[in-house]
Amino acid sequence: MADTALVRFHTDLRVHDNGALARTVDADRVLPVYCFDPREFEQSEYGPAKTGPYRARFLRESVRDLRESLRDLGGDLAVRHGEPESVIPDLAAEHGADRVCFETKPATEEYAVEGALVDALGERGIAAERTWGKTLYHIEDLPTGVDEIDDTFTPWREEIEREATVRDTRPMPDAIRTPDVEPGEIPTLADLGIEASDGDGASDAGDPDGIGEPDDRAVLDFRGGETAGLARLEEYVWERDRLREYKETRNGLLGADYSSKFSPWLALGCLSPRRVHQVVERYERERVANDSTYWLVFELFWRDYMTFQFEKHGGAFFTPTGIRDVHKDWRRDEQGFGRWAAGETGVPFVDANMRELNATGYMSNRGRQNVASFLADVLRIDWRLGAAHFEAKLLDYDVCSNWGNWAYQAGVGNDSRDDYFDVLSQGERYDPDGEYVRHWLPELGGLPAEAAREPWRLTEDQQAAYGVVLGEDYPEPMVDVERAYGRLRG
Ligand SMILES: Cc1cc2nc3c(=O)[nH]c(=O)nc-3n(C[C@H](O)[C@H](O)[C@H](O)COP(=O)(O)OP(=O)(O)OC[C@H]3O[C@@H](n4cnc5c(N)ncnc54)[C@H](O)[C@@H]3O)c2cc1C
């Protein structure tokens, strides 16, 4: 009897270096499936939707691109909308599949779904083959097992650099033979229950996703899919030759190339971290090896670390006290949180970053650290609300990187120093000309740099002269920031 393997794609939306797909190279027939799980589009317990319109669109584009790549290989992608643990066993049985291969997604809710899937397959006598593929280092190659890994990044990084190696990328199949299957439509945003609203910075401009044209102030026109992800890798590294200066530019705020912008493609698995690593190594051989080329890989270590930390601590990352059981008096302040989330705090460096996130689904790493610290350290509002807002908005949302970094910033995660970011001095350092705040806060466009960063220092006469009246054109600061930092400095 012909060997038929079903491949469940989830956050590995690529044909290059795909472990689950590579396992099926010897199968007579391969049935690739992507299942839109309605639970991933529901409201989270904190209020916002788990997936907002920008990431949903990026996902749809990625699934469409995967389907095209599989069709180019002679196969197809079956797309379904339903719970994977019921849809996939049914499809597997219908097509006589004897095994289902999938890359595991290491996180609590995802593990619950995968567990239910494995059980349902078992009941039908269908084998489940789970592969590990998210990280640069394979989980089985870690010198110390995840349960024992250090909760501090540096010793862990030093250990893997000393003792572990990155595996080669997995071969891509030359051809795929897919059984005759109803391909299924890729659900629209409306099918997924996602409504674009003005609050998302996106109006219905008549496009199929109903979220309008991308904001032309965005750092990049992010398009989902392996094709676009590989093109960005090629562009950033080879065409624009920016890897050689990554370490010097990575704290930037404006423009496409201050950092790689690989994150949305890495998060959905359109790009494999091993492929990125391979390209960096080739660049080092062919062009230059320096601190910058090393630093991009160093950041991928952070990505790995957050994932392995999740594997170790699991659900503790979602608790207010985090993985270190740190008790802080977190406030619930709906109105205050609403101002932070909308970019209406009256503190321009915070607001500019939040408006960028809300309008585009992206925010720089420097921005993320600052707005997270402002919420947790200055406003003392429950950091999990901030993490949930990011979850809805970010194009590159990854459960481990998001909740892990938020917990870190809130002082309940993998950093025991409990440092805060002073958004005033950070703004001065990283936006010395006020260009970034004026880019995202056009109402402050007429102000000189210092006043654009700290408009509350303007006298009434100056406000009138510049045509920016606080409380009318731009909010008064919701807290006395200078006093707040004075308190934090002790
Ligand atoms: C509060 C907060 C929330 C975050 N949420 C996410 C998230 O949901 N998804 C996400 O991918 N990153 C998250 N990050 C990490 C980081 O901000 C982004 O990965 C980065 O800004 C993406 O831009 P880039 O691809 O140009 O990064 P680059 O600077 O070019 O870095 C290259 C890659 O390294 C990885 N990386 C870099 N920094 C980190 C980090 N601190 N932690 C984990 N991986 C990292 C990313 O995959 C990134 O694409 C968060 C950081 C903070 C402070």
Side-chain angles (χ1 to χ4, degrees):
M1 204 176 88
D3 166 30
T4 301
L6 186 152
V7 181
R8 179 208 174 192
F9 286 87
H10 188 206
T11 41
D12 55 339
L13 301 180
R14 61 177 183 269
V15 294
H16 76 272
D17 189 27
N18 187 311
L21 190 60
R23 286 184 84 99
T24 66
V25 282
D26 297 330
D28 298 313
R29 301 189 309 169
V30 178
L31 175 52
V33 179
Y34 183 88
C35 189
F36 284 82
D37 184 340
R39 291 164 295 196
E40 294 180 6
F41 302 89
E42 283 171 356
Q43 270 191 307
S44 80
E45 64 183 286
Y46 304 99
K50 288 188 170 182
T51 308
Y54 297 121
R55 192 165 71 257
R57 174 167 73 180
F58 192 88
L59 170 64
R60 295 182 68 239
E61 289 166 351
S62 301
V63 171
R64 195 180 306 133
D65 184 64
L66 177 66
R67 173 175 268 175
E68 278 164 26
S69 301
L70 290 164
R71 285 181 177 168
D72 288 346
L73 290 169
D76 206 341
L77 178 72
V79 173
R80 298 291 184 270
H81 188 188
E83 297 188 346
E85 63 270 36
S86 56
V87 169
I88 288 187
D90 283 353
L91 259 180
E94 189 187 327
H95 292 278
D98 25 47
R99 58 198 170 111
V100 169
C101 306
F102 63 93
E103 180 183 294
T104 194
K105 184 170 181 198
T108 41
E109 288 173 0
E110 290 74 5
Y111 274 165
V113 172
E114 289 176 14
L117 172 61
V118 171
D119 290 347
L121 291 169
E123 281 164 21
R124 297 185 185 221
I126 302 169
E129 296 181 10
R130 217 191 275 238
T131 62
W132 181 276
K134 181 188 168 186
T135 48
L136 183 59
Y137 287 91
H138 196 286
I139 192 165
E140 287 164 11
D141 298 340
L142 296 180
T144 305
V146 275
D147 291 343
E148 304 292 322
I149 61 169
D150 216 298
D151 284 348
T152 311
F153 174 69
T154 305
W156 175 81
R157 174 185 57 76
E158 288 170 347
E159 186 188 53
I160 51 157
E161 285 189 292
R162 229 178 18 245
E163 296 178 37
T165 40
V166 176
R167 294 186 182 184
D168 284 341
T169 51
R170 266 72 53 100
M172 195 176 110
D174 301 324
I176 289 173
R177 214 162 69 86
T178 296
D180 210 9
V181 63
E182 167 59 42
E185 292 282 324
I186 297 173
T188 62
L189 261 61
D191 295 335
L192 296 170
I194 296 175
E195 269 179 48
S197 70
D198 291 343
D200 294 314
S203 59
D204 184 351
D207 63 313
D209 291 328
I211 62 172
E213 286 302 306
D215 193 305
D216 59 11
R217 295 169 297 172
V219 286
L220 202 66
D221 180 12
F222 288 101
R223 292 287 156 183
E226 177 178 19
T227 309
L230 290 171
R232 174 62 188 166
L233 181 60
E234 180 74 17
E235 175 188 61
Y236 179 76
V237 174
W238 300 109
E239 290 163 22
R240 303 179 74 89
D241 202 16
R242 299 305 293 265
L243 184 53
R244 64 175 66 235
E245 59 189 19
Y246 168 74
K247 191 160 182 244
E248 289 81 55
T249 60
R250 58 183 280 274
N251 282 309
L253 300 165
L254 282 169
D257 294 331
Y258 63 79
S259 64
S260 74
K261 312 294 185 307
F262 297 159
S263 54
W265 292 287
L266 282 165
L268 275 186
C270 305
L271 263 185
S272 123
R274 281 168 304 276
R275 171 64 83 92
V276 176
H277 183 250
Q278 218 173 40
V279 167
V280 173
E281 284 193 322
R282 184 154 75 83
Y283 183 90
E284 289 181 328
R285 286 195 302 274
E286 295 178 12
R287 290 203 186 161
V288 63
N290 61 17
D291 283 356
S292 283
T293 56
Y294 168 73
W295 214 262
L296 190 84
V297 177
F298 177 95
E299 295 300 341
L300 292 177
F301 292 160
W302 267 111
R303 180 175 178 274
D304 274 22
Y305 186 61
M306 291 298 178
T307 300
F308 295 131
Q309 279 291 317
F310 244 76
E311 191 69 6
K312 177 177 176 182
H313 295 289
F317 272 106
F318 302 113
T319 62
T321 54
I323 61 166
R324 289 189 297 113
D325 200 26
V326 181
H327 290 261
K328 295 189 179 188
D329 208 3
W330 297 112
R331 294 193 312 125
R332 285 279 174 142
D333 167 3
E334 242 175 69
Q335 204 212 351
F337 177 75
R339 286 186 66 172
W340 174 87
E344 297 283 347
T345 66
V347 182
F349 195 55
V350 174
D351 292 345
N353 276 292
M354 293 307 294
R355 299 223 200 147
E356 179 182 6
L357 173 69
N358 294 338
T360 70
Y362 185 81
M363 188 196 294
S364 69
N365 185 57
R366 182 58 44 186
R368 296 182 205 201
Q369 289 171 320
N370 273 276
V371 300
S373 173
F374 190 79
L375 187 80
D377 297 316
V378 174
L379 302 179
R380 313 286 301 169
I381 291 178
D382 188 343
W383 62 275
R384 297 173 305 161
L385 296 171
H389 182 76
F390 269 37
E391 176 168 346
K393 299 286 177 182
L394 280 176
L395 276 174
D396 64 20
Y397 172 69
D398 169 83
V399 53
C400 312
S401 293
N402 188 58
W403 289 82
N405 274 293
W406 265 98
Y408 183 105
Q409 211 49 66
V412 301
N414 294 97
D415 183 21
S416 49
R417 289 167 302 168
D418 204 6
D419 273 350
Y420 64 90
F421 283 80
D422 175 337
V423 301
L424 302 184
S425 57
Q426 288 274 306
E428 206 175 314
R429 181 160 170 204
Y430 294 103
D431 188 26
D433 304 327
E435 207 188 333
Y436 178 71
V437 292
R438 285 190 298 245
H439 185 75
W440 285 105
L441 306 172
E443 61 271 42
L444 303 182
L447 297 182
E450 204 186 325
R453 285 197 310 269
E454 299 179 13
W456 55 86
R457 290 178 181 277
L458 294 172
T459 62
E460 277 181 20
D461 287 348
Q462 287 170 323
Q463 292 181 34
Y466 286 124
V468 179
V469 177
L470 286 194
E472 282 178 28
D473 302 305
Y474 181 71
E476 303 262 12
M478 61 187 285
V479 284
D480 183 337
V481 212
E482 288 163 36
R483 257 183 60 195
Y485 286 118
R487 262 201 313 274
L488 282 168
R489 275 191 291 271

